Amino acid sequence: MTIALPPALDHLVERLLSTGRYADEGEVVREALRVLEQQEFDESPALEAAILEGVHSPHTPYDISVLERIRQNACAQA
């Protein structure tokens, strides 16, 4: 397989190779594809929704009652 990269990405590959972390260009591409695959399959719509809900929720102080509610919810879902 032959891959043509724009100059900016070619420089990135060269910079990564210069660190000694990667042995060759193929290793850099394999690592990049592994990370891309992980991002594609690890993204969860439910997780994203929960994060957005938390971001948009008013601040709730964390105390023992919050911890107890979390434990009860976890036990109920198990």
Side-chain angles (χ1 to χ4, degrees), residues 53-67 69-70:
E53 181 182 343
V55 167
H56 297 297
S57 297
H59 175 72
T60 303
Y62 184 84
D63 59 17
I64 193 68
S65 66
V66 173
L67 182 58
R69 189 179 75 238
I70 291 170

Side-chain angles (χ1 to χ4, degrees), residues 5 7-19 22 24-26 28-29:
L5 297 175
L9 291 178
D10 190 50
H11 292 304
L12 174 60
V13 171
E14 292 301 321
R15 206 169 64 230
L16 291 169
L17 287 172
S18 72
T19 68
Y22 302 96
D24 56 34
E25 292 89 351
V28 173
V29 171

